[in-house]
Amino acid sequence: MPTSSASNHSSHPEDLIGRLNSAHTPYEVKLKALRDLKNQIIGNRTKKLAFLKLGAVNSVVSILSSAVVAGGWENREFYELVLVQCAAIIGSFACGLEEGVNAVLDAGAFPLLLNLITHINDKVADAGARSLKLIYQSKRAPEYDFLQEKNMEFLLSLLNSKNENVSGLGANIITHSCQTTLEQNTLSEAGVIERLVGLLRGSLIQRDASLESLASMIYGNPEVASKFLSPENGRALSVVVELIKDKQPRTRMLACMCLIYLRNASTSYLQDSEIKNKLVMILLELLDDPGQVGDEAPFVLSSLISQKEDMQKIAYDADVVDKLCENLNIFSFQPTRLQGTFLALADLCSKLECCRDRVIHLKVFKFVTEALAHDNPHVRSAACYFLRNVSRSVKNLSAGQFMNEAVAAPLVQLLFDSNESVQIAALGAISNVVVDFTAHKSLFMQFGGVKQLVQLSKSMESAIRINAVWALKNLAFLVNNKCKEEILLELTISTLSSLISDPEASVQEQALALVRNLVDGTLNSIDYVFGENGLLLHAIGKQLWSTSKVEVLIQGMYTLSNVASGNELHKEAVMDQLFPKTINDKETVLVMFMQSADSRLRTAAVWALVNLTFPSSPGACGRVTKLQNAGIVCQLKNIVNDPCLDVKLRARTALGQLIMFGDAS
């Protein structure tokens, strides 16, 4: 029976893997099988997944490992061909496929590939570098510890390599792993900026990799930004400015990103209107790119306009809002672009009413409701972020633009989301949407929103607790007693009392603000704090005497001020908290609050005094005497000319009321 030649072997996946795994398969046949495997999987996601299920990555890594240790082969050229093919296959599996990256890393390919880039054969080194670069496109790629001296030396050797893929790999490692200020500064002090600036004048691969890694080093770091702009780096800034005109879309985008990060880190640079307009116009053009550049451009645009009203106005005037809304329709099937588009729209709507009006006019909400139910959690979060910012429009909020069934139902569903980041984003949107000044709040309650907000207020995650209580606070803003009772019935007085004493000051602040809204209004509303033997009132008083957090004290005093606006029982209960029996009868926290450096706390304290000493109140005389004995009059006199108008006006009102009872010396 004749022996089969390599060319007669089947290319079926099972047969290919069988030949790769067999110990009896000659290496010439294995090399042919490797080439067949590479040709089948390149650019073919379906084939990659099929071969992954058959364990192809483990097979290839095993051959690579054997080839690496078999350095003494007589046929050296053949051995190097095997290394190149294995590296190419591993890179292909990792390219754009997270399952492939996982398989590659789990099979132990990373250290083997790292070893290849120092190979004496440039083709082998190049293949190893290409494969590693593809792995470093994934977030799952190993982090690189720049703080170890030997690692820094190795990184510098990569950046110094004449091989463009090897030096590009060095830059890619920086982009992936440089996350902290310490890492940024360590790289800068090691001379990495100078190496990267040198690569800006290299090939396209080196240039793009350098721009991206420079951006990661400069991001949020004024010290590194200043070093990049220093004379020792020559015309580095001019080179980057020139690159925003490059013919390659990705180069233009990365150059824009680098300039934006420089501008954000060091506000003294790139402030002229010409460069601002150029950046907006280039990014506007890149939004239409059908590939990866178009996916990433909205994120770069966000970094340019976030929290910058001047840039948002330039973008609005350039019709960026219209372009982004148009792209929601064109690219609605691409999750990354959808996420970036909503984030960019959210940033545009964060400050400017004209942007909010425009997106409402362009009927974006049909895309928002779809995005809130999207399979991708990043898209769901981005849609919530957009909704939170666009609902800052008071006129549209009061018109009930945001609280309708199409928005309320999916938002409530997101409170049950398995992804905590989505839950937090949904809570942020709900906090704004439920401020709605119309009767539409009841719609949110009908969908079970209150019940789930209460559940989330008990979360072990502080960020979720804070946002859940914040949403409940806004829901309780200017609602009727029926809604308040529904909130309190679900929340319970004991749970609310616990939230006032939460370990996190931000939760305490929001819980007190919630009580403040609950007791604002009728006398019946004020009675809520007297339930369960005054549990809430005692919790408020305890915080006023024990915390040093100004924001908590402000909300606590305003809550007591609201209670003090009620009847005699209510006013005396407030006095009991301000003059507890366990403290000297002449001491009160009011004096300390009136001396606070924070005008908001001074205002809240004086408001409480005004409500406690209202002349027509039957028990006002006794309270005035107690306040006078505690030195309140003296403190009021000290602030009747307070630089804060609110404090000054309320102090004069309170002092006038006290004087009416005599002995205001």
Side-chain angles (χ1 to χ4, degrees), residues 41-302:
I41 65 171
I42 286 179
N44 192 322
R45 179 184 175 86
T46 305
K47 284 287 184 73
K48 287 182 189 180
L49 291 171
F51 276 106
L52 279 176
K53 289 180 180 178
L54 294 172
V57 171
N58 285 325
S59 303
V60 174
V61 172
S62 177
I63 294 171
L64 174 62
S65 179
S66 299
V68 167
V69 297
W73 284 8
E74 291 182 8
N75 191 345
R76 186 170 178 173
E77 290 182 4
F78 177 82
Y79 146 76
E80 290 170 349
L81 287 173
V82 172
L83 293 177
V84 169
Q85 294 300 319
C86 287
I89 292 167
I90 291 168
S92 183
F93 272 117
C95 182
L97 190 68
E98 283 301 300
E99 297 95 325
V101 176
N102 293 339
V104 164
L105 294 176
D106 292 343
F110 187 82
L112 297 173
L113 293 171
L114 211 56
N115 188 49
L116 292 188
I117 60 178
T118 57
H119 199 279
I120 57 173
N121 185 314
D122 284 344
K123 289 184 178 179
V124 175
D126 189 71
R130 285 174 181 271
S131 186
L132 284 167
K133 282 171 64 180
L134 292 169
I135 292 172
Y136 268 104
Q137 290 178 359
S138 167
K139 291 180 180 179
R140 271 222 62 200
E143 298 293 333
Y144 196 81
D145 187 359
F146 303 114
L147 305 182
Q148 291 189 27
E149 187 176 347
K150 63 176 183 178
N151 286 356
M152 184 64 77
E153 290 174 359
F154 181 67
L155 177 66
L156 292 173
S157 72
L158 296 181
L159 295 174
N160 286 332
S161 174
K162 294 179 181 178
N163 184 308
E164 64 175 18
N165 280 309
V166 175
S167 57
L169 170 64
N172 292 149
I173 290 172
I174 294 170
T175 301
H176 176 80
S177 301
C178 184
Q179 304 291 335
T180 67
T181 301
L182 177 60
E183 288 171 334
Q184 290 172 326
N185 292 339
T186 301
L187 288 165
S188 177
E189 290 162 8
V192 169
I193 289 178
E194 292 82 354
R195 311 289 174 97
L196 292 174
V197 168
L199 293 178
L200 288 175
R201 297 175 177 85
S203 68
L204 175 62
I205 289 173
Q206 292 171 321
R207 199 169 61 208
D208 285 0
S210 174
L211 285 168
E212 196 167 10
S213 54
L214 279 169
S216 68
M217 285 182 63
I218 292 165
Y219 181 77
N221 193 318
E223 186 179 332
V224 175
S226 297
K227 186 163 185 179
F228 173 81
L229 296 164
S230 64
E232 65 192 70
N233 285 314
R235 296 179 58 256
L237 179 60
S238 300
V239 173
V240 178
V241 171
E242 281 299 310
L243 289 175
I244 66 175
K245 307 171 192 172
D246 194 87
K247 65 179 181 180
Q248 296 295 330
R250 182 159 183 79
T251 302
R252 295 202 302 277
M253 184 193 71
L254 293 173
C256 286
M257 183 169 71
C258 205
L259 291 175
I260 291 165
Y261 288 178
L262 275 170
R263 180 178 182 270
N264 292 350
S266 183
T267 53
S268 58
Y269 291 95
L270 304 168
Q271 294 301 319
D272 59 286
S273 58
E274 183 180 356
I275 191 67
K276 290 178 180 179
N277 280 286
K278 273 185 181 177
L279 290 171
V280 169
M281 296 311 296
I282 291 166
L283 291 171
L284 177 62
E285 177 191 346
L286 293 175
L287 290 174
D288 281 336
D289 186 277
Q292 185 180 357
V293 169
D295 289 345
E296 296 177 12
F299 295 94
V300 181
L301 177 64
S302 283

Side-chain angles (χ1 to χ4, degrees), residues 318-336:
D319 292 331
V320 171
V321 174
D322 290 56
K323 172 57 67 178
L324 289 168
C325 292
E326 179 185 322
N327 283 359
L328 282 176
N329 189 34
I330 298 172
F331 300 106
S332 60
F333 57 91
Q334 298 179 13
T336 302

Side-chain angles (χ1 to χ4, degrees), residues 300-373:
V300 181
L301 177 64
S302 283
S303 66
L304 175 63
I305 62 179
S306 179
Q307 301 302 313
K308 300 180 190 69
E309 191 168 337
D310 62 328
M311 294 308 307
Q312 292 167 14
K313 184 68 171 67
I314 292 171
Y316 176 78
D317 290 340
D319 292 331
V320 171
V321 174
D322 290 56
K323 172 57 67 178
L324 289 168
C325 292
E326 179 185 322
N327 283 359
L328 282 176
N329 189 34
I330 298 172
F331 300 106
S332 60
F333 57 91
Q334 298 179 13
T336 302
R337 192 171 304 217
L338 200 55
Q339 177 197 358
T341 301
F342 273 118
L343 290 177
L345 281 171
D347 283 323
L348 280 165
C349 293
S350 63
K351 294 181 180 294
L352 296 179
E353 188 71 7
C354 57
C355 291
R356 299 170 193 147
D357 287 344
R358 188 63 185 161
V359 297
I360 291 172
H361 173 74
L362 293 171
K363 304 188 186 307
V364 170
F365 277 91
K366 65 177 180 179
F367 300 110
V368 177
T369 53
E370 291 172 5
L372 290 173

Side-chain angles (χ1 to χ4, degrees), residues 540-547 577-580 583 587-589:
I540 296 166
K542 183 179 178 181
Q543 282 292 34
L544 292 179
W545 283 94
S546 61
T547 188
Q577 298 307 317
L578 297 175
F579 293 89
I583 306 294
E587 291 184 21
T588 176
V589 286

